[in-house]
Amino acid sequence: RQSFDLNLNAQYEKNKDMHVIPLPLATVHEALNKYIIFFNKYFERGRNTALDFLTKSYNEAKTKFDKYKIQTSLNKLPRTFRIPGYTIPIVNIEVSPFTAEMPAFGYVLPKEISTTGFTVPFIGFSVPSYTLVLPSLELPVLHVPQDLCTLKLPRFRINSPSNQILIPAMGNITYDFSFKSSVITLTANAGLFNQSDIAGHLSISSSSVIDALQFKLDGSTSLTRKRGLKLATALSLNNNKFLGGSHDNSISLTKKNLEASMITNAKINTPVFKM
């Protein structure tokens, strides 16, 4: 029977800084306003057409229900569709709440079917005609919303236009991991930090009763934005019986030139190959 402990922890810290991206939102708002006016007129025409269709279907269904004295089911009561108000990000447009009463539909309508009378030859037995009322699969309208004739789309409120978009800067991310058992203990932590420069680090260490599983791995990277761009990365492997080494590289970019460097050291100690 084996037992082990496992722990995970991740944390994100917000950054108060904002990135400013210039964008002519006034032009976007003007185009949206024209589109909203056009769409409202189109919606009103569609609403009136739907009202005429539902009213006609309701009147036809009511005539048949009244003729055969059929009561509509109570579970066909009208339902209300609601959308809460919200704000569209970036363009900063406020949309008002929207409420609409939905029409109620049924599934069957009574349908009258008449059979013809006939006489059986030679026997002289006459079969009279019959009139049957059978359910017919249709979608009758059982309720027409009273406010459908005045239904309108939500109101769109466009706040004072701004010619820029504010995007939150990346924050700080940290991650910790640990695993412990009777054979191996493994710990790891990593972080990505956004201060004046962007920096990241990684550290993994392992201790075990098996020599090959013992090691320590350290890594770091940074992006410097002063006087151009400079990306530097370092990686090292230690405390292992068979492998070891380090790696360093950097790239610098300025308006005038580009510089790059790389240094790698490796150590291999195995019964077959040594370096």
Side-chain angles (χ1 to χ4, degrees), residues 47-48 50-51 54 101 103 144-152:
R47 177 200 63 194
N48 296 334
L51 178 61
L54 293 176
E101 186 180 354
V144 179
Q146 297 179 355
D147 60 348
L148 182 59
C149 59
T150 59
L151 181 65
K152 294 183 179 180

Side-chain angles (χ1 to χ4, degrees), residues 179-188 204-217 238-240:
F179 176 84
K180 296 180 180 180
S181 69
S182 58
V183 178
I184 186 174
T185 298
L186 181 65
T187 59
I204 303 175
S205 62
S206 171
S207 60
S208 172
V209 295
I210 303 174
D211 293 339
L213 296 180
Q214 297 190 62
F215 67 90
K216 183 177 182 181
L217 178 66
N238 300 298
N239 299 345
N240 185 266

